[in-house]
Amino acid sequence: MFYAIISEDVQNSLPLRLPARPQHLARLEVLQQEGRLVLAGPFPAIDSDSPGDAGFTGSLIVAAFDSLEAASIWADADPYKAAGVYKHVTVKPFKRVLP
């Protein structure tokens, strides 16, 4: 089943995000290689694909996991969480309808 991992950043998270980004992306690449990743990306703090110093306000990941518990355990191990980037993470079942 698919699960949505919706993360909300702390204020001014960009300096925390940058050093943890390679490890964060490496975990997403594993999901992608396994064919489990539907989409992943951050929420820009401003209306721009490249927000620069404005940074990001959070992230969304939609991926397949065996259970809500497995998705939650995976989300809890995110390097962004360990680095203090995220102030809140919600994991919910997700039903893909389109495409």
Side-chain angles (χ1 to χ4, degrees):
M1 178 161 191
F2 294 118
Y3 294 89
I5 302 169
I6 307 151
S7 305
E8 185 180 351
D9 283 18
V10 298
Q11 287 278 124
N12 303 313
S13 63
L14 193 58
L16 300 172
R17 272 181 171 266
L18 294 177
R21 189 169 189 264
Q23 296 85 6
H24 172 79
L25 291 177
R27 296 177 78 233
L28 291 171
E29 288 170 7
V30 170
L31 288 180
Q32 185 174 15
Q33 290 167 0
E34 294 173 347
R36 296 169 48 201
L37 184 64
V38 175
L39 64 87
F43 300 117
I46 59 173
D47 190 11
S48 172
D49 283 342
S50 300
D53 290 339
F56 302 93
T57 62
S59 300
L60 171 64
I61 299 167
V62 178
F65 292 92
D66 290 335
S67 65
L68 178 60
E69 180 182 10
S72 296
I73 290 168
W74 189 91
D76 283 342
D78 194 307
Y80 279 173
K81 190 166 183 183
V85 173
Y86 296 150
K87 70 176 173 181
H88 184 59
V89 177
T90 302
V91 181
K92 296 180 175 187
F94 179 81
K95 182 179 177 185
R96 183 176 181 171
V97 175
L98 294 171

